[in-house]
């Protein structure tokens, strides 16, 4: 976790080395897009959960778009389902071309669903434009939508198609998830804290919180019980005269042996 006064692209850019390469699963915040433009080796994968929320928000905001929004919710749900079936057959140690017949069968189903969704979005946008100019008044559905509904519909679909390449990254990269929900969930506690106690009113305290969040979330990722680990670490500090223990390896998840990692994964006795 990084504490920084800015949310600009400089923050993630300074975090990564110049030669970093890979896929970043992100929302559609503009700083990530600028980062990808400046770092040619970074590919952005956009989040389908955010897209799904766009449609649901539109349906909640305007009753006349509710049916349309639920249809898109169903399409996105089908895409998730087809991708889950595909991943069940995926051997992540093998490249895409060497996957099994069962994988490729589901892979084609995912591609087909994406193509149908893209075509439907393009078709609806075109009809929206015609209806707005009175050229599609004899056609249904959509011709009877209010101006505000057409504007909302256009905004959601334009965003969908604008980010389409990033929303399709997971197809050729099965290791990439369709959404960034795990990342969003992992920052929920720090974000809630930021909005409630604002670093307990001091910069050093906020920086200390960011360090602790980084340490404790690392332990969680390694399957270690944070409370158990913290009690052991503080006990070692106390035994060393209220100083950090000289031997730090027993407290680093990647350096400790399997037996200690297993012991620390259990609740503190």
């Amino acid at each position: 976790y990084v504490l920084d006064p800015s949310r600009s692209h400089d923050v993630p850019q300074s975090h990564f080395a110049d030669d970093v390469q890979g896929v970043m699963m992100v929302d559609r915040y503009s700083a990530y897009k600028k980062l990808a433009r400046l770092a040619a080796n970074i590919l952005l994968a956009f989040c389908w959960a955010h897209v799904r929320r766009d449609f649901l928000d539109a349906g909640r905001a305007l009753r006349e778009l509710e049916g349309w929004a639920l249809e898109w919710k169903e399409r996105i749900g089908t895409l998730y389902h087809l991708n889950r079936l595909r991943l069940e057959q995926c051997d992540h140690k093998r490249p895409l071309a060497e996957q099994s017949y069962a994988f490729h069968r589901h892979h084609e189903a995912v591609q087909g669903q994406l193509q149908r969704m893209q075509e439907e979005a393009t078709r609806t946008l075109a009809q929206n434009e015609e209806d707005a100019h009175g050229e599609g008044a004899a056609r249904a559905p959509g011709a009877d939508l209010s101006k505000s509904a057409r504007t909302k519909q256009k905004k959601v679909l334009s965003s969908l198609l604008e980010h389409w390449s990033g929303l399709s990254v997971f197809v050729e990269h099965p290791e990439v998830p369709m959404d960034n929900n795990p990342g969003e969930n992992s920052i929920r506690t720090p974000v809630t804290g930021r909005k409630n106690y604002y670093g307990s009113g001091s910069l050093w305290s906020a920086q200390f919180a960011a360090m602790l969040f980084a340490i404790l979330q690392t332990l969680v990722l390694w399957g270690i019980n944070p409370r158990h680990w913290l009690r052991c670490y503080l006990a070692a500090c106390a035994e060393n005269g209220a100083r950090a223990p000289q031997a730090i390896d027993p407290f680093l998840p990647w350096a400790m042996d399997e037996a200690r990692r297993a012991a620390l994964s259990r609740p503190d006795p």
Side-chain angles (χ1 to χ4, degrees), residues 74-90 102-117 170-171 178:
E74 184 72 21
R75 291 187 182 101
I76 295 171
T78 298
L79 183 63
Y80 267 93
H81 172 68
L82 294 174
N83 191 50
R84 278 195 295 269
L85 295 177
R86 180 180 76 135
L87 293 180
E88 288 174 0
Q89 305 298 326
C90 183
F103 171 88
H104 282 288
R105 184 163 54 87
H106 293 301
H107 183 70
E108 291 175 1
V110 169
Q111 290 176 310
Q113 177 68 3
L114 270 175
Q115 182 177 349
R116 289 187 291 273
M117 293 167 71
F170 76 96
V171 179
M178 285 182 61

Side-chain angles (χ1 to χ4, degrees), residues 23 43 48 156 170 175 210 236 247 263:
V23 180
L43 180 64
W48 274 100
V156 172
F170 76 96
E175 73 280 5

Side-chain angles (χ1 to χ4, degrees), residues 9 13 29-39 44:
H9 73 280
Q13 188 171 357
Y29 182 49
S30 59
Y32 300 129
K33 299 175 186 178
K34 186 170 183 179
L35 172 64
R37 288 196 300 270
L38 296 175
L44 296 186

Side-chain angles (χ1 to χ4, degrees), residues 15 59 180:
H15 175 73
N180 66 347

